[in-house]
Amino acid sequence: MPASAPKAEASGPRASGPRTSGAEADLRGLPFQWNLLAWAALVGTLTGLAVVAFHELLGFINNFLFGPFVEGLLVIGRSSPATPADLPPIDLPPLAPDSGTPLRALLQLGLDGIGLLAAAPPPPPLPEPPPISLPTPPDWLALWPVVVVPTLGGLAVGLLRHVAGSIGPGLSSLMAIADGRQAGEPRLPWLRLVAASLSLGSGASLGPEGPSVEGGGNIGLWVALRGRLSPQAQKALVGAGVAAGLAAGFKAPIAGVFFAFEGSYSAIPGRPSLRAVLVAAVASALVTQLCLGDTPILRLPAYEVRSPLELPLYLGLGLLASLMSWLLIRLLAAGRDERVQAVVRRLPPGLPTALGGAALGGMALVFPQVLGVGYDTIEALLGRDGGIPLLTLVALIGVKLVATTVSNATGFVGGGFAPSLFLGAVLGSCYGQALGSGGLNLPVAEPPAYAMVGMAAVLAGSARAPLTALLLLFELTRDIRIVLPLMAAAGLSAALVERWQGIQDPGLMGPDPQEERRRGELAAIPVEEAFDPEAPLVLPAAMAASAALARLIDSHGHCLLVERAGLALGLVTIGDLQRGLASDLSRSQAPCLEDCLRTDLVWLPAGVHLDRLEDQLRPNGLRQLPVFAVPEGAGGHLPHGLPPGGLAVELLRGVASRDGMARALARRLQAASERPSINASATGST
């Protein structure tokens, strides 16, 4: 006892003294903070190295396929059996001079429209009588290597995906794994990056940033699991890997940080997560600059401002960009449709991507700009000051949309940022030409200025990331004058696309198969199974907030529904009541329930399933929401706010919550685990 008494005395002041308690709290928090930052630095460094290796491999494959390989195919074509002496030979062009990559030279040859070859020389005069001669093939038939390269690349990618089985989970699955909502393991991104290098190097109409971001997320979760970190730290490192991937891919660390928090999959709140994301983005950007140089991934011209009165014109561009974003999203979703993918799965391994590559090659015979990432084409477009004919640009938009849809649907690996930037640049150039010398002859900026704003607006709408798009273009241009038009066009585009598409965002390239299976399981469970067991508390709007708080505490509930004249007004949580009472202590009149309403009512119609419940809970940060027996579609796909005429309280069927959804999934899992034992007992097996 005497020995233990000093311990008790010593522990008592430490527990009660504010100064010692704060010091102990700091000591407890310090190792975790530094530990998480160290892990984030490791994730950023590994992601930067992976992205550097990816870019080097992509450049090697691109240079080889559109360099020595194409040259060899052209030599084979020239060494075909001799034709009659009187048959004029086809004047095959030599390979383009070294001006970057062979694919870049090929793209610039076709920037002005149709055909890549000069016209064939006129045939010599024929002797009398004219002999029978074979018809001269069109010039574009001599470009058959342009079709062969993406076809062979697609075959290689398809076989690689078939042999590997999976190239790793996507972003939405990574967050679900970190949350414990989905089983699975992250994978180091080497296979994903190799498949993306083959895809993009052979001409797939996708971008490199998707594999970089998903690879960074996989590295983040892989490191977190190997380090046995907590679920919160796992989600933080997934976000750190996402930021590191985008920062390294575009050499834009600020945009990478914002994208980690702005993505719809993101669930990484808190200051520790922000610090980890910042450290990872800085580390990856530093590695990329040391290995690849600090030259921006896109070299954009200086932005030109003619008049502040042009701002409404940029809003018009934002409207057009939202339509372009919506069309791109819809086409990509159509390519991922189950009926389309069922046909793709029935084909032999490698054949769908080979056919997709052949289709890309066919389109490239007319519009070579659709091949590959497209950054070279964007730079050439922005440097032409509107020199490309308007109709050619309009046709290029349609071909690029089809090429991107085919690339994604047939199994090529890549991202959607680059196609969005490409489409935005072409759309903005069209818009600038129509306003300027090519149409209305208004005193506006040159088309490249509108092309840059169009890039950000289409990216903001299609990726649902307006801040990321704004900061990305700002980091690429490093011009403060472009910020205001970017904010106007990107914000309008993102808002309109979200209004048309709903809150749920599966990502530009769509969810991966694991996430689709998880969402399919949710879609099979009615929302009624997620109801809280207690009946929802419905109180009149005129009731005093203090009395309502007492009723809510007595019922052990978390929220109540406010009604007036039999119509629901909104949902009030216990936190809303506490804030309302605390803020109105100085008032002479006590607040009522209606004074505590803080947001519009978010609700669901009866008959929906848990996937719709998740769509409402996650983006809004809610814990529960009421379900009413109203027809499907009343109030929109994801009802927010009261429909015309209001919601009758008598139609209330219950309150669905996060905890209720977890219970429903647990019951299904328990039933599935008990089914084998029931079958075994029925058959008499042991």
Side-chain angles (χ1 to χ4, degrees):
M1 290 293 294
S4 62
K7 262 185 205 178
E9 292 173 2
S11 62
R14 282 195 189 120
S16 59
R19 179 178 301 177
T20 309
S21 175
E24 285 192 350
D26 290 341
L27 290 176
R28 285 196 300 270
L30 188 62
F32 169 76
Q33 292 290 334
W34 284 108
N35 187 35
L36 184 61
L37 295 184
W39 285 115
L42 176 62
V43 169
T45 303
L46 293 178
T47 302
L49 293 173
V51 172
V52 168
F54 170 46
H55 279 270
E56 293 293 337
L57 180 60
L58 173 58
F60 172 79
I61 292 176
N62 179 262
N63 286 329
F64 172 75
L65 290 180
F66 287 93
F69 186 73
V70 167
E71 185 177 19
L73 293 179
L74 289 175
V75 169
I76 294 174
R78 289 190 178 99
S79 61
S80 56
T83 57
D86 54 342
L87 184 64
I90 299 175
D91 185 17
L92 291 172
L95 287 177
D98 186 12
S99 60
T101 63
L103 179 56
R104 172 174 182 160
L106 179 65
L107 295 176
Q108 289 184 347
L109 281 173
L111 275 175
D112 285 317
I114 299 176
L116 296 177
L117 295 178
L126 297 177
E128 292 292 341
I132 299 175
S133 61
L134 298 175
T136 303
D139 287 341
W140 54 266
L141 286 182
L143 287 176
W144 58 274
V146 178
V147 181
V148 172
V149 170
T151 302
L152 294 179
L155 180 63
V157 172
L159 293 177
L160 179 62
R161 299 191 71 158
H162 174 71
V163 172
S166 172
I167 58 176
L171 292 181
S172 52
S173 287
L174 289 173
M175 277 300 177
I177 294 171
D179 266 340
R181 294 181 281 113
Q182 177 177 312
E185 289 289 334
R187 298 180 62 174
L188 289 176
W190 312 124
L191 189 62
R192 180 185 295 274
L193 297 181
V194 169
S197 299
L198 286 171
S199 299
L200 303 175
S202 60
S205 181
L206 298 171
E209 72 295 321
S212 300
V213 168
E214 291 175 339
N218 275 275
I219 289 176
L221 186 55
W222 185 85
V223 168
L225 291 177
R226 295 303 179 274
R228 300 181 181 276
L229 302 183
S230 66
Q232 289 77 13
Q234 291 178 23
K235 291 188 288 186
L237 288 190
V238 171
V242 168
L246 191 68
F250 279 109
K251 299 181 183 177
I254 301 177
V257 170
F258 274 80
F259 183 66
F261 288 91
E262 194 176 22
S264 61
Y265 58 86
S266 179
I268 47 175
R271 295 198 314 186
S273 299
L274 175 59
R275 295 164 184 155
V277 168
L278 284 170
V279 168
V282 170
S284 66
L286 180 61
V287 169
T288 308
Q289 290 184 12
L290 290 176
C291 297
L292 300 178
D294 58 355
T295 304
I297 197 72
L298 279 172
R299 293 173 294 274
L300 304 180
Y303 178 73
E304 180 181 2
V305 179
R306 290 287 180 88
S307 170
L309 299 178
E310 282 190 68
L311 186 60
L313 299 179
Y314 286 109
L315 291 175
L317 179 57
L319 175 60
L320 293 178
S322 66
L323 296 173
M324 178 66 70
S325 302
W326 176 83
L327 182 59
L328 177 62
I329 293 171
R330 298 294 293 178
L331 287 175
L332 292 175
R336 297 189 304 265
D337 186 79
E338 181 59 31
R339 291 170 293 182
V340 175
Q341 292 303 312
V343 175
V344 170
R345 287 191 294 267
R346 284 198 293 267
L347 297 175
L351 184 58
T353 43
L355 293 176
L360 288 174
M363 286 181 263
L365 291 177
V366 180
F367 287 97
Q369 300 93 334
V370 301
L371 286 178
V373 176
Y375 292 158
D376 295 331
T377 303
I378 293 175
E379 290 183 2
L381 183 67
L382 294 177
R384 295 292 294 267
D385 294 329
I388 301 178
L390 185 60
L391 292 180
T392 302
L393 292 177
V394 173
L396 181 59
I397 289 177
V399 177
K400 184 65 175 181
L401 284 169
V402 175
T404 304
T405 304
V406 170
S407 299
N408 185 45
T410 54
F412 283 102
V413 181
F417 271 40
S420 299
L421 293 174
F422 186 102
L423 291 168
V426 180
L427 176 66
S429 184
C430 291
Y431 188 75
Q433 286 194 43
L435 293 178
S437 59
L440 300 178
N441 290 315
L442 297 177
V444 296
E446 296 295 333
Y450 286 92
M452 287 188 288
V453 176
M455 291 165 62
V458 174
L459 177 60
S462 55
R464 309 287 189 89
L467 290 178
T468 302
L470 188 156
L471 291 170
L472 177 61
L473 266 292
F474 174 67
E475 285 190 270
L476 293 177
T477 59
R478 301 173 185 176
D479 191 342
I480 194 65
R481 295 173 299 176
I482 199 174
V483 171
L484 189 59
L486 287 180
M487 292 176 65
L492 179 62
S493 176
L496 290 177
V497 172
E498 184 170 305
R499 175 66 181 86
W500 298 331
Q501 287 291 114
I503 298 175
Q504 174 61 23
D505 176 20
L508 189 54
M509 291 287 104
D512 55 280
Q514 291 182 352
E515 176 67 7
E516 287 181 335
R517 285 193 294 270
R518 188 188 72 84
R519 293 278 298 178
E521 294 173 358
L522 293 178
I525 304 177
V527 71
E528 287 79 6
E529 295 193 22
F531 282 176
D532 288 337
E534 303 86 5
L537 190 61
V538 182
L539 297 179
M543 176 180 280
S546 56
L549 180 61
R551 290 280 304 272
L552 190 59
I553 294 174
D554 291 341
S555 65
H556 304 286
H558 299 287
C559 66
L560 57 89
L561 197 68
V562 182
E563 63 88 19
R564 183 198 301 133
L567 296 178
L569 297 182
L571 204 66
V572 171
T573 65
I574 193 168
D576 295 334
L577 290 172
Q578 291 172 339
R579 280 187 291 267
L581 290 171
S583 62
D584 290 310
L585 289 178
S586 59
R587 290 187 181 183
S588 58
Q589 185 177 2
C592 63
L593 261 182
E594 191 170 0
D595 297 329
C596 297
L597 285 172
R598 294 173 55 85
T599 58
D600 291 336
L601 179 64
V602 181
W603 56 280
L604 279 177
V608 300
H609 297 80
L610 293 190
D611 58 331
R612 295 278 297 279
L613 176 62
E614 185 181 60
D615 292 345
Q616 284 285 48
L617 292 177
R618 291 186 62 193
N620 292 299
L622 301 175
R623 183 173 178 177
Q624 62 276 307
L625 52 84
V627 178
F628 292 85
V630 297
E632 175 70 17
H637 177 67
L638 291 176
H640 193 287
L642 295 174
L647 288 167
V649 173
E650 62 183 13
L651 300 178
L652 179 66
R653 291 297 175 262
V655 174
S657 63
R658 292 178 182 270
D659 295 338
M661 185 166 63
R663 287 192 296 268
L665 292 172
R667 286 192 293 267
R668 290 297 179 104
L669 184 61
Q670 181 183 20
S673 61
E674 292 176 352
R675 195 172 298 117
S677 60
I678 295 175
N679 294 337
S681 61
T683 57
S685 59
T686 58

